[in-house]
Amino acid sequence: QVQLVESGGGLVQAGGSLRLSCAASGRSFSPYAMGWFRQAAGKEHEFVAAISWNRGSTSYADSVKGRFTISKVNAKNTVYLQMNSLKPEDTAVYYCAADLINFEGSWYRADTGSWGQGTQVTVSS
């Protein structure tokens, strides 16, 4: 089974930036896509961004478009989330996920996929 290890969360002022990293380990790692979800206190789990592993095509939630950028380095089995112009409403626990699938325009973690342990991002106003 694939294991995902995240890093890069922390506390930042509004308007600041953070970069999250997610390194995958395990045999035969070849997902369809990887991505990020987040969950704020008292709110539901929500999709943030995804990137297809082979083609590199990307997808973003409307709330982060133009501010967040997802990228990957296949040779390192690592995906990144560069977060700029952070807002207090971006405060949440961010989870890396693999393998992602897209069904009817929405992204989901496949039953055979994995979650990272989560990393806290806190944006102060």
Side-chain angles (χ1 to χ4, degrees):
Q1 186 175 359
V2 173
Q3 292 187 332
L4 304 175
V5 178
E6 302 155 359
S7 60
L11 173 64
V12 65
Q13 289 188 332
S17 299
L18 284 174
R19 189 175 84 152
L20 306 182
S21 300
C22 173
S25 61
R27 297 190 306 170
S28 303
F29 183 69
S30 183
Y32 173 73
M34 289 186 69
W36 296 89
F37 289 72
R38 66 186 182 186
Q39 187 166 22
K43 295 189 177 181
E44 294 186 354
H45 210 221
E46 67 170 345
F47 167 76
V48 176
I51 186 165
S52 65
W53 201 244
N54 291 328
R55 297 180 59 187
S57 54
T58 58
S59 179
Y60 297 94
D62 288 343
S63 58
V64 307
K65 278 181 183 176
R67 301 187 298 121
F68 290 11
T69 303
I70 189 170
S71 61
K72 63 182 177 67
V73 176
N74 290 44
K76 294 183 177 181
N77 286 348
T78 299
V79 65
Y80 304 95
L81 186 68
Q82 178 66 43
M83 305 185 293
N84 298 330
S85 302
L86 283 161
K87 305 175 181 180
E89 51 263 44
D90 294 317
T91 296
V93 178
Y94 283 70
Y95 296 91
C96 176
D99 187 357
L100 299 186
I101 56 175
N102 188 284
F103 179 69
E104 295 185 346
S106 295
W107 287 94
Y108 303 91
R109 192 209 67 173
D111 290 342
T112 54
S114 301
W115 290 110
Q117 80 280 10
T119 185
Q120 177 71 46
V121 171
T122 303
V123 184
S124 63
S125 57

